Amino acid sequence: MIAARFARFSAASALLLGACLAGAAPASATGTEGSCAEGAGVTVVVDFGDLGPQSLIRCAPGTPANGIAALQEAGVDVAGSQKYGLAVACRIDGKPGPDVESCAGMPSATAYWSYWHAKPGGTWESSQEGAQTSKPVANGFEGWAFARPKSVNDLPAPPRVAPVRQAASPAQAPAEQGSSFPWGLVIGAVVIVVVAGAGIVVARRRRAQ
């Protein structure tokens, strides 16, 4: 009887430890809010223009394979057109909506996402190739700006956010450092060991009686 109870307790302890491990596992490779620290990755800037929301600034860790990967690894949703897929970025973070663009083929020449690059310490430059083939500059900036030119001959404007690395505020730094250690896993493992030890002691006492 005692052995059977202890076996069930051990199985429950294993499940609890597994839950602790799952909770302590690092998040998937999605970006963080704000610009990248020096050497940490590629900063992605999304200027929604007259669509309304405030510009997004996020960090894609490392060196993404291309411009689309930089968006995705920064944690920004991107949808391509039905005809050309992600070779044409039609919606970024769900915008523009279907009332502006159907995303069936090429976006309208007077309502589309323009794509930009900037080297560290440089200025925005319009990309000369598509986002699926363009290689982001290490430590650089990737920019997207929603353009509504008055005519097809008007050039789009770059993102209104300058490609300048913004240092994390002192209040944010300790929190980010403290969150990296898996305290939940350590506490959970200690609790399991203590409870398991108590179960063994109780079992031995019952046998002695």
Side-chain angles (χ1 to χ4, degrees), residues 79-90 103-107 132:
S81 73
Q82 297 172 21
K83 185 174 182 179
Y84 300 103
L86 287 174
V88 175
C90 185
C103 292
M106 288 295 293
Q132 269 197 323

Side-chain angles (χ1 to χ4, degrees), residues 117-190:
H117 311 290
K119 297 178 181 179
T123 58
W124 289 119
E125 296 180 3
S126 180
S127 178
Q128 300 303 304
E129 57 182 309
Q132 269 197 323
T133 58
S134 176
K135 178 75 172 179
V137 177
N139 261 341
F141 293 78
E142 292 278 292
W144 295 83
F146 190 71
R148 284 191 193 260
K150 295 181 180 179
S151 73
V152 295
N153 296 321
D154 292 338
L155 297 177
R160 291 170 291 183
V161 176
V164 177
R165 185 169 289 106
Q166 300 173 2
S169 65
Q172 293 176 337
E176 292 174 356
Q177 293 174 359
S179 63
S180 63
F181 191 82
W183 286 110
L185 173 61
V186 173
I187 294 172
V190 170

